[in-house]
Every structure is written in structure tokens, then in C-alpha cells.
Amino acid sequence: MMGAHKGDGPALDGRGLRIGMVQARFNQGITDALAAACRDELRTLGVAEADIAIEQVPGALEVPLALQAMAQSDRFDALVALGCVIRGETYHFELVCNESAAGITRVALDHHIPIANAILTTENLSQAVARQDEKARDAARVAVEMAALLRRYPAD
């Protein structure tokens, strides 16, 4: 729900964090805007430009594998998934939405790394445009907050 109150979180400080982003190219006008807003918010939070990496993949179904490769590199404190799936006339929408989300969650849990999921799932293009900036900035904040949380609870 747009404008929903997300609660008050801690002050965010991204200094010293390394953040990786995976951007799906499908619906590239939207995903380019997501990437730009996410990168901008990360810099606002103190993440150095040199500590932000972005990889592009064809679509949302390819995002989890790229995230997995980045997670396995041990170079990142958090990752961000960027994409846009717009409902069509077939069941393919549900398949792409469900499988990409499940894959993202699996990578996060298997590799003990925060992954902010900013893959938009909308009914139409106008809904995607209306959500692209807020969702991307929120994902940047989630990545920074969760990276800080996991630093307090390191894996063995």
C-alpha cells in the first residue's frame, strides 16, 4: 500500500558497507529508474560509490542466480534485487513473481546475506512508474539496515 507507515527504524549509516545490486533488463525503463534511485539512496546513506556494484540480467527469473554468485563471492554486506514484472494475459506473471521471490529468499537464507527485494509486481505500467522511486529507495534502506543487523550477529 502506497504511503503505508513502515515504522520508525534506527538511524542508518552505510559507511563502509559494500552493496551489490542485480537489475533485470526486462521492462528496462522501469528497472533503470529503480537502479538509479537505489544507487542515489545508498549514496545518501553514506555508501561510497566505489562500494556499489551492479550486474544486469535478462529478467526476474535470472536475478536469483546472479545474487547467488555475488553472495558466494563474499564481497558484499548486502544485496538488492531490482526488476519489474507486469501482469499479462497468462499465468506466466504468477510463475515469474513467485519463483523469483522464492529464489531470492533462498539465496539470502543459504548465504546468510541480506537481500532487499525490489522486484515490482504490478498490474500495469502506470502502477510500476508510480512505485519505482519509493520501492528502490526503500530497498536501499532495507539493505543498509539489515547489513548492520547481521554485523551484530555474525555467522560462524
Side-chain angles (χ1 to χ4, degrees), residues 22-90:
V22 176
Q23 174 191 351
R25 287 189 306 271
F26 203 87
N27 293 314
Q28 191 159 12
I30 299 296
T31 66
D32 282 347
L34 285 165
C38 186
R39 183 184 296 267
D40 182 59
E41 187 69 14
L42 288 170
R43 286 191 309 254
T44 298
L45 295 171
V47 179
E49 181 66 34
D51 290 332
I52 301 170
I54 188 163
E55 297 292 340
Q56 290 189 346
V57 297
L61 287 175
E62 291 75 36
V63 168
L65 184 59
L67 290 167
Q68 183 180 51
M70 294 175 94
Q72 288 173 337
S73 77
D74 289 326
R75 290 178 35 213
F76 301 99
D77 298 297
L79 300 170
V80 179
L82 303 168
C84 178
V85 185
I86 299 173
R87 184 180 299 278
E89 297 177 1
T90 69

